Amino acid sequence: MPHEIPAPMLAKSVPAVPDPAKTPGGLSFEPKWDGFRALVSWDGTDVEIGSRGAKPLTRYFPELVEAFTRLLPEPCLIDGEIVVPKQVEGRQRLDWDSLTQRIHPAASRVAMLAEKTPAMFIGFDLLARGDRDLQSESFAERRAQLVDLLGDVPHPVHVTRTTDDPAVAEQWLAEFEGAGLDGVVAKPLAQPYAPNKRTMFKIKHARTADVVAIGYRIHKSGQGVGSLLVGLYNDDGVLYPVGAVSAWSNARRLELIDELEPLVERDDAGDAVTADGEKSRFSAPDRDMTSVRLRPERVLEVRYDQLEGWRFRHTVQFERWRPDRDARSCTYDQLESVTDYDVRDVLE
């Protein structure tokens, strides 16, 4: 039987690369891979891949199951990340869209995508090796065991690189985003594995942008604004939806309904104009994605970490309203450009 898959150890956000001298035993820094968190259990016969949310991922990545079965040298339980690289103008970068497409109910489509856009696995912790449970060991020991176990295993199984130098971690934070990664993780070297505990630190890019409010969805409770949809203008003056702002308090959700009422678009009968939203593969099947459309006149400043194509990669955070800004001035030009980088160079 494969090793029982625990809840993964988590990380808390910090604003900057921490000083290792302030953590007993020091810190190890590594790139923050932007993919599906995956705990891989291999007993010498069967493979199981568990996700951060305890959902099985095994059926969605048959090419990795085959690779683990063929390449792993002994039974083990590995913590890591599943990512999909994509060739872009001669470089490889992580492709979130291709990764999310793998979560599909049809086995035939999963098999097709496994061949067309094969995934790879980046290991960054070892929880068990053979019959030895390593979770009570320090990360320094677990890392040494991981390198010993997987150091010579070929693609598509990799071991993430690490450094104990915060200056190198700062450099990674600046450079690796160009390959589709989303920050740096710092791990206390002396700590044991702590399932479901935020004992690691994650450092991500924090940026702001002025965006236009273009609509809202009602909260799942049926009352108030659940999420505010926002957009940016391109060079041709076309307004594109780029993401959503959420995490309002209950009181604020209700206030926003009244505040946004003057901006609601209405048809000839006086009814609010609505639009169907795009559902994520991870959304509940019965979730209502209908939005109320707003005239694009109100500007707000938001915090974001990175772009994925033309959209914000994650839900953005509200900073403040910007009544001094004209909506048409909210363009992509204000966003920070990122220098291209190659995933293969991150793996070296």
Side-chain angles (χ1 to χ4, degrees), residues 126 129 139-149:
L126 186 62
R129 183 175 184 179
F139 176 67
E141 173 62 18
R142 300 197 310 273
R143 168 73 187 182
Q145 291 289 330
L146 177 70
V147 172
D148 183 64
L149 179 70

Side-chain angles (χ1 to χ4, degrees), residues 207-212 226-232 242-248 300-307 311-319 335:
R207 305 180 173 102
T208 63
D210 292 331
V211 295
V212 186
S227 58
L228 183 64
L229 310 181
V230 297
L232 287 170
V242 294
V245 185
S246 58
W248 313 100
L300 58 150
E301 183 181 1
V302 297
R303 282 178 287 121
Y304 72 98
D305 50 17
Q306 66 183 126
L307 288 178
R311 296 175 59 87
F312 294 124
R313 169 69 178 82
H314 302 102
T315 301
V316 295
Q317 305 299 314
F318 177 82
E319 278 286 293
L335 304 183

Side-chain angles (χ1 to χ4, degrees), residues 81-202:
E81 200 97 357
I82 295 174
V83 298
V84 171
K86 181 180 180 180
Q87 198 78 10
V88 180
E89 297 181 352
R91 293 184 175 88
Q92 281 192 359
R93 63 170 287 124
L94 303 186
D95 187 7
W96 176 255
D97 287 341
S98 294
L99 179 63
T100 58
Q101 288 175 20
R102 301 297 295 275
I103 309 301
H104 197 281
S108 58
R109 180 165 177 79
V110 169
M112 182 272 289
L113 291 173
E115 183 174 351
K116 183 179 178 181
T117 56
M120 62 183 184
F121 177 76
I122 314 296
F124 46 64
D125 208 336
L126 186 62
L127 281 61
R129 183 175 184 179
D131 295 329
R132 181 183 174 189
D133 188 335
L134 299 171
Q135 294 184 63
S136 62
E137 303 284 348
S138 68
F139 176 67
E141 173 62 18
R142 300 197 310 273
R143 168 73 187 182
Q145 291 289 330
L146 177 70
V147 172
D148 183 64
L149 179 70
L150 299 184
D152 295 326
V153 173
H155 181 80
V157 179
H158 300 266
V159 177
T160 195
R161 64 200 299 184
T162 62
T163 181
D164 59 4
D165 186 342
V168 173
E170 292 277 8
Q171 181 180 351
W172 290 353
L173 185 65
E175 294 181 347
F176 289 175
E177 185 183 10
L181 284 78
D182 67 347
V184 171
V185 174
K187 298 181 177 179
L189 283 163
Q191 286 193 359
Y193 196 85
N196 216 28
K197 303 289 186 182
R198 295 190 181 275
T199 57
M200 304 183 295
F201 309 99
K202 58 183 178 182

